[in-house]
C-alpha cells in the first residue's frame, strides 16, 4: 500500500548537538545515533528538525530504517512538500538544459546534489530511467508528482524504474520489480559527443550506462593516437571515443553481455574494435609479461572500495592495475586512470598512482585531474556527492 506524506501538522525531530553542528557545517545528513527523539513518526515523513534546545534547523525527510535517519531539504519550514518537489524537479531539468552539450543522455536529477535526496533520474534520448532510494521518495504522492512533472517537462516515450533490491531492503520498503512505469518504449539509441550507443532501459548496470564519464570520454579522445587498450570497457564508452583517432583499439571486460552490447555499438558507429572477455588483473599480468605495448591505456574499473573496511584491498587493486598499465605504455604514451570509489579520495588515488609510477620506474606528468560530468553536480559541504576520479597522464621513461 502506498503512503502519502502528511499535509497537516508536521512532526518534529530533535537532534543532538553533534548532529546540529554537522548541519551548521553545511552537510545535509543526520545519522540515527544523533537523533534524540523521533517517537511515533511514520516512515518517510516530512519533519521539522530542532536541536537539543529546541532551535529550528529546517525541514527534512525521515527514514525509520536507514542509518541516515534525516535528510535535510530546506533550512526553512516547508508548508507544501509536493509543491517544493515539483519546483526542484523543474529546476534540475532547467540546470541540465544550460550545462549539457552534445548529448541526449545525461543525469536529470542527482539526489542530494539537486536537493531531492533519494531520487535519481537519468535521460536516455526519449526515455527516462528512475531510481528511488528512500522511504520518502517511495510514497505514492511523491511518485505521482515526480512522474507528472517529468512528463510535463520532458514528454518521454517511456519511463522505466530501475530497482536496487539491496537499498529497498535497507530502507524496509516492500519488494518491487524493475520495469516500465509509464509508456511502452524501453529501448533507444543515444548520442554522446557524436558517438552513438544502443540503450536498453532494463539491462546493464546502474541505470544502464555510465553517464558520469561522458565528459571524460570526450577528453580522452583529445589524446588518442596509435594503439589503444580500454580495460574494464563495459559497453565501450572510452573505446568508441578513441576509435576514430587510433590505428587499433582493444576493449576488455569480464562481462560477456556488456561486450556484446559494445560490439553492437561499434557496428552502429562503423568502427572495428577488438573485444576480449577477461579478468582485468589476469589480462594485464599476461600482456605485461608478454611485452605488449600501447600508446594509450584506459583503466576504468568498478568501485573497489564499497566501504571503508575495503579501503586497503582497494588501494592494492588500484596500484596493481596502474603498475601493469604503466609498464605497457610506450614512451610518450597516455594513461587515463579512473576510480569511482568514494572512500578512495582524490589525494589517496594520486598517491596510489604515484607509488605505481615509482615502482614502474616511469616519469609521469599529470595533464588533467578530472571528475564526474557536470550533470552530476557536487555540493561542497557534502563530500559524498563527489566520487569519480579521472586522471589523464603523460608517461615517459
Amino acid at each position: 500500500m502506498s503512503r502519502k506524506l502528511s499535509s497537516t501538522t508536521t512532526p518534529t525531530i530533535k537532534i543532538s548537538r553533534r548532529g546540529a553542528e554537522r548541519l551548521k557545517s553545511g552537510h545535509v545528513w543526520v545519522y540515527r545515533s544523533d537523533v534524540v527523539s523521533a517517537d511515533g513518526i511514520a516512515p518517510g515523513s516530512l519533519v521539522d528538525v530542532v536541536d537539543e534546545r529546541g532551535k529550528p534547523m529546517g525541514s527534512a525527510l525521515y527514514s525509520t530504517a536507514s542509518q541516515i535517519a534525516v535528510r535535510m531539504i530546506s533550512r526553512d519550514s516547508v508548508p507544501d512538500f509536493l509543491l517544493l518537489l515539483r519546483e526542484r524537479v523543474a529546476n534540475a531539468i532547467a540546470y541540465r538544459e544550460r550545462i549539457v552539450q552534445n548529448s541526449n543522455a545525461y543525469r536529470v536529477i542527482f539526489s542530494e546534489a539537486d536537493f531531492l535526496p533519494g531520487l535519481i533520474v537519468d535521460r536516455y534520448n526519449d526515455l527516462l530511467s528512475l531510481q528511488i532510494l528512500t522511504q520518502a521518495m517511495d510514497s505514492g504522492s511523491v511518485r505521482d508528482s515526480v512522474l507528472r512533472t517529468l512528463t510535463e517537462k520532458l514528454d518521454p516515450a517511456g519511463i522505466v524504474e530501475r530497482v536496487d533490491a539491496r537499498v529497498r531492503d535497507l530502507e524496509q520498503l516492500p519488494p518491487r520489480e524493475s520495469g516500465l512505469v509509464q509508456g511502452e518504449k524501453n529501448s533507444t539509441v543515444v548520442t554522446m559527443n557524436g558517438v552513438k550507443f544502443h540503450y536498453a532501459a532494463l539491462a546493464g548496470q546502474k541505470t544502464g550506462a555510465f553517464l558520469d564519464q561522458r565528459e571524460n570520454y570526450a577528453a580522452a579522445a583529445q589524446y588518442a593516437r596509435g594503439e589503444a587498450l580500454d580495460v574494464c570497457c563495459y559497453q565501450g564508452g572510452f573505446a568508441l571515443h578513441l576509435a576514430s583517432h587510433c590505428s587499433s583499439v582493444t576493449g576488455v571486460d569480464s562481462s560477456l553481455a556488456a561486450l556484446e552490447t559494445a560490439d553492437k555499438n561499434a557496428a552502429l558507429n562503423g568502427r572495428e574494435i577488438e573485444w576480449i572477455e577477461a579478468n582485468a588483473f589476469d589480462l594485464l599480468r599476461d600482456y605485461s609479461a608478454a611485452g605488449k605495448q600501447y600508446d594509450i591505456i584506459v583503466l576504468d574499473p568498478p568501485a573497489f572500495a564499497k566501504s571503508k573496511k575495503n579501503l586497503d584491498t582497494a588501494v592494492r587493486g588500484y596500484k596493481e592495475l596502474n603498475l601493469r598499465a604503466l609498464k605497457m605504455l610506450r614512451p610518450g604514451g597516455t594513461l587515463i586512470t579512473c576510480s569511482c570509489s568514494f572512500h578512495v579520495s582524490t589525494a589517496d588515488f594520486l598517491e596510489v598512482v604515484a607509488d605505481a609510477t615509482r615502482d614502474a620506474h616511469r616519469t609521469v606528468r599529470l595533464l588533467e585531474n578530472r571528475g564526474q560530468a557536470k550533470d552530476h553536480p557536487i555540493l561542497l559541504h557534502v563530500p559524498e556527492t563527489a566520487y569519480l576520479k579521472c586522471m589523464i597522464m603523460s608517461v615517459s621513461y
Side-chain angles (χ1 to χ4, degrees):
M1 181 182 295
S2 62
R3 306 177 309 280
K4 290 188 177 181
L5 292 175
S6 173
S7 59
T8 56
T9 304
T10 304
T12 298
I13 281 181
K14 182 180 290 187
I15 62 174
S16 69
R17 179 178 178 180
R18 183 175 65 177
E21 289 299 322
R22 184 175 176 84
L23 295 184
K24 288 177 185 177
S25 74
H27 212 290
V28 294
W29 293 349
V30 177
Y31 291 99
R32 187 158 306 282
S33 58
D34 287 316
V35 174
V36 175
S37 64
D39 296 337
I41 297 179
S45 293
L46 173 70
V47 297
D48 289 329
V49 180
V50 300
D51 66 13
E52 288 184 310
R53 296 176 298 170
K55 180 180 178 181
M57 302 294 294
S59 295
L61 302 177
Y62 178 66
S63 171
T64 57
S66 174
Q67 288 305 304
I68 305 171
V70 174
R71 297 174 189 257
M72 300 298 294
I73 58 168
S74 175
R75 297 298 177 188
D76 302 310
S77 181
V78 175
D80 188 339
F81 175 65
L82 294 182
L83 175 61
L84 180 69
L85 179 78
R86 290 191 292 271
E87 290 175 348
R88 289 192 173 170
V89 170
N91 289 341
I93 292 170
Y95 168 73
R96 273 67 183 185
E97 289 173 348
R98 294 195 302 272
I99 59 95
V100 174
Q101 298 178 353
N102 199 22
S103 179
N104 60 10
Y106 53 88
R107 178 144 294 180
V108 177
I109 297 171
F110 187 35
S111 195
E112 276 83 359
D114 283 300
F115 319 110
L116 291 165
L119 180 63
I120 301 286
V121 179
D122 287 337
R123 181 176 189 173
Y124 294 93
N125 191 9
D126 54 351
L127 300 181
L128 297 179
S129 184
L130 170 79
Q131 277 192 317
I132 289 175
L133 307 172
T134 59
Q135 292 175 347
M137 290 296 170
D138 197 58
S139 75
S141 56
V142 168
R143 282 176 168 275
D144 292 345
S145 187
V146 168
L147 291 172
R148 190 179 310 116
T149 307
L150 290 172
T151 300
E152 290 171 358
K153 298 293 184 179
L154 298 175
D155 191 26
I159 301 179
V160 167
E161 181 174 2
R162 292 293 296 262
V163 173
D164 187 324
R166 183 188 64 86
V167 170
R168 289 190 71 83
D169 186 55
L170 289 173
E171 282 285 301
Q172 297 179 3
L173 295 169
R176 182 186 291 269
E177 295 294 325
S178 295
L180 273 166
V181 294
Q182 187 171 302
E184 297 181 356
K185 187 175 182 181
N186 63 10
S187 64
T188 190
V189 172
V190 303
T191 302
M192 290 187 276
N193 313 309
V195 180
K196 296 178 181 179
F197 295 85
H198 289 285
Y199 172 68
L202 294 172
Q205 301 178 36
K206 298 178 103 175
T207 62
F210 292 93
L211 301 177
D212 48 8
Q213 289 280 30
R214 186 186 66 256
E215 293 171 8
N216 296 330
Y217 294 156
Q222 298 177 21
Y223 300 92
R225 64 181 180 85
E227 296 176 279
L229 178 67
D230 181 7
V231 180
C232 303
C233 65
Y234 188 50
Q235 295 178 353
F238 278 106
L240 284 161
H241 281 77
L242 300 177
S244 60
H245 306 277
C246 292
S247 57
S248 69
V249 177
T250 300
V252 180
D253 203 274
S254 60
S255 169
L256 179 59
L259 293 176
E260 288 172 343
T261 300
D263 195 43
K264 293 176 182 177
N265 290 336
L268 188 63
N269 291 275
R271 302 296 178 196
E272 289 289 336
I273 297 175
E274 179 187 21
W275 306 107
I276 298 176
E277 180 187 2
N279 174 279
F281 291 95
D282 294 342
L283 180 130
L284 287 179
R285 190 179 303 114
D286 292 345
Y287 276 23
S288 178
K292 287 211 173 230
Q293 295 278 288
Y294 293 90
D295 298 290
I296 183 167
I297 297 178
V298 178
L299 302 176
D300 187 20
F304 288 161
K306 298 288 188 181
S307 64
K308 286 184 179 179
K309 67 181 182 181
N310 303 127
L311 188 56
D312 289 343
T313 302
V315 166
R316 288 195 297 272
Y318 286 125
K319 182 176 179 180
E320 181 177 346
L321 284 182
N322 282 276
L323 177 62
R324 299 287 181 187
L326 286 161
K327 289 182 175 180
M328 292 165 57
L329 280 166
R330 296 188 176 104
T334 301
L335 175 65
I336 300 172
T337 182
C338 308
S339 166
C340 59
S341 299
F342 163 70
H343 295 287
V344 177
S345 68
T346 298
D348 291 337
F349 194 52
L350 274 171
E351 184 176 352
V352 168
V353 178
D355 286 345
T357 62
R358 280 191 290 269
D359 289 356
H361 306 292
R362 299 292 187 267
T363 300
V364 168
R365 286 179 289 186
L366 180 62
L367 303 177
E368 296 192 41
N369 189 353
R370 305 179 60 85
Q372 61 228 47
K374 290 187 286 293
D375 52 310
H376 293 63
I378 296 168
L379 293 183
L380 287 182
H381 299 294
V382 184
E384 291 82 359
T385 59
Y387 62 94
L388 182 62
K389 282 74 64 178
C390 177
M391 298 172 185
I392 303 178
M393 303 177 175
S394 176
V395 180
S396 57
Y397 284 47

